[in-house]
Each structure stands twice: as C-alpha cells, then as structure tokens.
Amino acid sequence: MATSPLDAPRRALQPSFDPAFRADVLRGLAGPAKSIPARWLYDETGSEIFEAITQAPEYYPTRTETSLLQAHSADVVRQSGADAPVVEFGSGSSLKTRILLEHMPKTTYVPIDICGEFMDAACAELGARFPGLEILPVEGDFMQEVPLPSCVKSSDGASPEALGFFPGSTIGNLLHAEAIDMLRAMRRTLGEGAWLLIGMDRTKEPDRLIAAYDDALGVTARFNLNLLTRINRELDGSIPLDGFRHLALWNDERSRIEMHLEALRDVRFEVAGTPFTMDHGETIHTENCHKYTPQGMEGLLAAGGWATQCHWSDADGDYSLLLARAHDHARG
Ligand SMILES: C[S@@+](CC[C@H](N)C(=O)[O-])C[C@H]1O[C@@H](n2cnc3c(N)ncnc32)[C@H](O)[C@@H]1O
C-alpha cells in the first residue's frame, strides 16, 4: 500500500531551536581551534544549496556515482532481492535512490535524514513517481542506531533482509573512528544478514579535489557561509557575514579536503548571549571530506562489520560503489 509521507510514522527530533545545535556551536567556538560538526550545514537552505553543488561542473562525485548506480543497480537488486526494504542514511533529495527503486518499485523505502523539511519534499516527489512504494521517513541522526518501523525489521526475522543505502561519500565527513562507530550502528539498525550499498570517493590529484569543493560559481562557498546565517537566525547570533570567506584545503597527511570559514579581519560577535572574538586569518573548521584508496575503503567497511561483496569503479578510477554484507552472512 502506498503511504503518504505526511501520514507515515515519524520520530520527532528537536524543534528548530535545537539544544544540540546550540551546545555544538558554543563548544566549537570556545576553543583555540574552532570547529562545528558538518551535520549543521544541512538546514533546509543548506540542503537546497547542496543540491546545487551536485550540479556544479567541478563536482564530479554525483555524476560519477549516478553512472555507477545506473550500471550496477540491477546487479545489486539481483543479490538483495526486489522486495528488500531500502533504508537510506542521509537521504537528502533521494534523487539517486530513484535509480535503485526502478528495479524495486513496490518495496518499502525508509529515508533517514537530519533535515525533516527537505526530506518531506523529496518523499512527496518519490511517492508520485513510484505509487506502489511504501515510504516511511524517519527524521533522525544516523550516528546512532535508528529504530526502524516494525514492518521493516520484524523481531521474528520474517521480513526480508534490508538493503542499506549510503551514497554521496557522506561517510567521508566522519573521522576514521566515527566512521567505524557509524558503520557498526548501521549494522545494528539494519540487522543480521543486511546488505549495504555505499558510495565512497577516491584519492586523486589535490587540484581536482580543491576545485570540486571551491567551484568557480561560488556555490560551495554559499553552502559553507549559510552556516553563519543559520547560527545568527536560530541562535540569536551577531556574526558579521561579510567578515568571513569560504576556504577549501587539501590535508595530505589525513587524506581529506577540509572546509573552513576564515575571518577576513578581527571580528567580535555573540551567539546565544555568549561573546566571541576571532583574529584576522583564524578559521572555523566546518567539514571534512575524507578520500580513500580502494583497500582503505574495504578495510574501513570490515572494521565496521561489513564484508565487501562487489566493488565497482568508473574507468578513470575516480569513485567507488561497494556492495557489502553483514559479516556473518558474507560469502567467503
Ligand atoms: C552529502 S549529503 C548527501 C545527500 C544524498 N544522499 C546524495 O548522495 O546526494 C549528506 C546528507 O546527509 C544528511 N545528514 C548529515 N549528517 C546527518 C546525520 N548525522 N544524521 C542524519 N542525516 C545526516 C544531510 O542532511 C544530507 O541530506
């Protein structure tokens, strides 16, 4: 039975004035090395700007991953089964999911995202496109085990094994230890025997990476700077928006792109009644995007409890799509 996203059961997260956001921002701005977790980049505006980033000519990951999904989704579904419930972590626009769902249009789809407004709009579009699909959105944080609707994960093991979907190299936003914890939480969320289809970006020449995260039209800059607008709006901040610029740096030692907001002059501001000062040139670290070797990806998945079954890449070796299975059920 098709379910309207608006009727579907939802776990409530916090209201728009989120105490966790306030705590992360106040803690992150207090120390000498300032940083704010990347998840807060995704309010409704941030999610919309992220979609625009995926269209930027320099941003190769979305195009490459989309081609890989077009080439290999049928094979994925042959292995998982067309009735496997699809559980997507950080679903955003759910645009790539459409490619997978073409092969399983009557299954159950559980998108999980921290930005509920954007997810609702994406689910409405998906419901219109796949009328036989049951859609059960969950607004929540994928860093923890997420309780799934009982029809997806029955306690008697009667429902088909789920197919987790984690595209966009979103895993790259996490530090190594966080990524392992997250993969383990995913395994608990999905249950024994589950499948995981994950997209991960590969290491490549720093110039190409920096261009992808600092596009000529300034879309990524808008995405990053929107965090300051969000802080001002939701946390009663007075951060001067013209006092900062977007920076994308390659950290070779840690194999990652880092996004920062750099102060263009000495600045003073308040957030939620707390005063802060930053010196000219000081930065707020807002996102990491780790890049992996093919061996590194499979090693990370194994540490998180997932055995790689298939590993696909494009002809240029830019990006990987991997199908993994919870260890005990893995072949070999
Ligand atoms: C890089 S975007 C990827 C979007 C989409 N999956 C894609 O491949 O284009 C990351 C997505 O994860 C969501 N997200 C980030 N951190 C999250 C968290 N801790 N829990 C749930 N969703 C999160 C964001 O709201 C956003 O939709």
Side-chain angles (χ1 to χ4, degrees):
M1 183 192 68
T3 309
S4 150
L6 301 176
D7 299 337
R10 295 272 298 269
R11 291 187 320 123
L13 204 70
Q14 291 96 342
S16 70
F17 190 93
D18 187 332
F21 180 39
R22 180 169 59 182
D24 276 352
V25 171
L26 293 182
R27 195 183 310 113
L29 293 178
K34 300 186 183 337
S35 69
I36 296 175
R39 82 186 75 157
W40 302 115
L41 291 164
Y42 294 93
D43 62 351
E44 199 174 3
T45 307
S47 301
E48 280 162 9
I49 304 174
F50 178 77
E51 283 313 302
I53 291 174
T54 66
Q55 304 303 314
E58 300 92 330
Y59 197 77
Y60 62 86
T62 301
R63 280 192 308 277
T64 315
E65 190 177 48
T66 298
S67 303
L68 287 170
L69 284 166
Q70 282 162 342
H72 302 293
S73 284
D75 197 10
V76 170
V77 175
R78 247 193 312 278
Q79 300 192 56
S80 69
D83 59 349
V86 177
V87 179
E88 182 167 0
F89 299 85
S91 51
S93 64
S94 297
L95 280 177
K96 293 169 192 161
T97 328
R98 295 179 184 182
I99 303 167
L100 196 58
L101 291 174
E102 292 288 349
H103 302 274
M104 42 199 330
K106 296 199 172 145
T107 192
T108 300
Y109 173 56
V110 183
I112 301 170
D113 205 286
I114 202 164
C115 184
E117 298 94 335
F118 196 70
M119 184 170 59
D120 281 344
C123 288
E125 283 183 33
L126 209 62
R129 198 177 183 98
F130 296 99
L133 188 70
E134 182 180 40
I135 305 175
L136 303 172
V138 175
E139 183 177 351
D141 183 352
F142 59 47
M143 294 304 291
Q144 287 134 36
E145 182 178 347
V146 180
L148 296 179
S150 56
C151 61
V152 174
K153 192 180 164 193
S154 60
S155 49
D156 58 7
S159 46
E161 288 151 348
L163 172 61
F165 186 38
F166 195 28
S169 205
T170 304
I171 194 166
N173 296 154
L174 307 175
L175 301 177
H176 190 72
E178 290 172 335
I180 292 172
D181 285 349
M182 197 260 166
L183 288 165
R184 290 182 180 162
M186 243 177 202
R187 193 187 147 135
R188 290 194 300 279
T189 296
L190 296 172
E192 280 301 308
W195 299 86
L196 177 64
L197 182 63
I198 182 168
M200 297 171 89
D201 197 11
R202 292 190 175 188
T203 47
K204 52 185 65 65
E205 317 82 74
D207 286 355
R208 271 188 77 202
L209 287 167
I210 291 172
Y213 291 88
D214 194 6
D215 58 281
L217 287 177
V219 187
T220 314
R222 266 202 297 131
F223 175 67
N224 200 6
L225 286 158
N226 176 60
L227 178 63
L228 302 181
T229 308
R230 180 179 190 184
I231 293 172
N232 284 351
R233 185 181 64 243
E234 293 185 24
L235 303 178
D236 195 21
S238 58
I239 305 174
L241 301 180
D242 63 356
F244 286 86
R245 71 165 178 141
H246 163 71
L247 264 190
L249 311 170
W250 172 246
N251 182 330
D252 198 44
E253 195 188 333
R254 300 191 176 193
S255 190
R256 70 188 188 200
I257 285 284
E258 295 181 0
M259 287 191 356
H260 293 254
L261 290 163
E262 182 187 31
L264 292 168
R265 55 178 191 267
D266 293 354
V267 285
R268 295 171 173 275
F269 54 85
E270 287 196 0
V271 176
T274 305
F276 295 97
T277 58
M278 287 178 65
D279 295 337
H280 180 193
E282 201 180 339
T283 75
I284 307 171
H285 186 170
T286 51
E287 190 174 64
N288 290 316
C289 302
H290 290 88
K291 307 298 166 186
Y292 306 93
T293 62
Q295 299 77 6
M297 295 173 183
E298 297 188 20
L300 183 59
L301 286 172
W306 297 92
T308 302
Q309 307 289 290
C310 304
H311 187 154
W312 298 288
S313 184
D314 52 296
D316 296 330
D318 279 345
Y319 198 91
S320 285
L321 182 69
L322 300 103
L323 180 66
R325 198 157 196 207
H327 269 334
D328 297 348
H329 286 254
R331 184 188 71 201

